[in-house]
């Protein structure tokens, strides 16, 4: 299946689940991450602020108290930056209606131990299908040392994600 068709198929599967079901699946996946040795040992974690159709990261932000948590902020049609997460009151709605950090900029990419990454679909080899703008594909090469965990709902784990040379693979995918 090509990228566009796969994105559409995933959107259709999402619609077959209630918000309550997605919430329960989010809690399962987030708990798995929160108890992961890489999360427990990480000092600096890149998270994302979830949209309604993504695995909810609120639990991870809470579990990350005591760690340095950084979040992406869209700065242009293909560019992002990172800012420190300094608490829920430091978030403001940004591009694509995503809640984004207003805290201090963070450019110490080499310090990021773990990156938790959303996607439309993943396969077991760690290939990722994003929302189709290449934000993460351009950004992740800045932090080659970071352990990359893709996180998704069970129906977003597919047999095979079509790949391009610029796609950055995950080290691990957590889907339940
Ligand atoms: N929570 C979250 N934050 C993120 C991402 C993400 O996928 N999820 N991104 C990962 O890249 C970056 C933002 N990229 C995004 C790209 C497209 C859409 C989006 O809503 N696209 C619509 C199509 C609307 C349009 O084309 O204007 C869609 O998918 O339905 C959202 C975020 C950075 N922050
Ligand atoms: N490192 C890169 N440099 C330049 N262009 C890139 C790079 N990575 C991806 N692109 C381009 O960006 C566009 C979107 O790529 P792709 O479909 O892989 O995005 P995605 O991973 O689904 O999106 P996102 O990361 O925003 O969730 C494609 O045209 C791709 O060729």
């Amino acid at each position: 299946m090509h990228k566009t068709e796969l994105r559409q198929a995933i959107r259709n599967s999402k619609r077959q689940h209630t918000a309550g079901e997605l919430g329960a699946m989010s809690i399962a996946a987030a708990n798995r991450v929160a108890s992961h040795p890489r999360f427990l040992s990480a000092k600096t974690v890149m998270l994302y602020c979830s949209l309604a159709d993504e695995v909810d990261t609120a639990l991870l932000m809470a579990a990350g108290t005591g760690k340095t948590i950084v979040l992406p902020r869209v700065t242009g049609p293909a560019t992002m930056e990172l800012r420190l997460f300094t608490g829920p009151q430091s978030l403001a709605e940004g591009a694509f209606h995503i809640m984004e950090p207003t805290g201090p900029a963070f450019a110490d990419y080499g310090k990021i131990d773990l990156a938790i990454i959303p996607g439309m679909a993943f396969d077991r080899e760690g290939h990722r299908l994003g929302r189709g703008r290449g934000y993460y594909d351009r950004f992740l090469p800045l932090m080659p040392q970071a352990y990359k965990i893709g996180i998704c709902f069970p129906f977003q784990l597919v047999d095979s994600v079509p790949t391009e040379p610029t796609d950055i693979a995950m080290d691990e995918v957590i889907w339940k």
Side-chain angles (χ1 to χ4, degrees), residues 60-83:
L60 290 175
M61 290 183 180
T65 307
K67 301 181 189 299
T68 300
I69 302 289
V70 297
L71 297 171
R73 196 178 83 88
V74 169
T75 52
T79 52
M80 306 200 290
E81 64 175 8
L82 291 181
R83 283 173 183 260

Side-chain angles (χ1 to χ4, degrees), residues 80-100:
M80 306 200 290
E81 64 175 8
L82 291 181
R83 283 173 183 260
L84 278 177
F85 171 65
T86 53
Q89 77 293 340
S90 69
L91 298 172
E93 191 173 321
F96 307 110
H97 305 290
I98 299 171
M99 295 304 286
E100 295 187 324

Side-chain angles (χ1 to χ4, degrees), residues 102-122:
T102 59
F106 181 92
D108 233 343
Y109 302 113
K111 282 236 171 80
I112 299 172
D113 302 305
L114 175 66
I116 305 297
I117 299 161
M120 298 279 300
F122 294 93

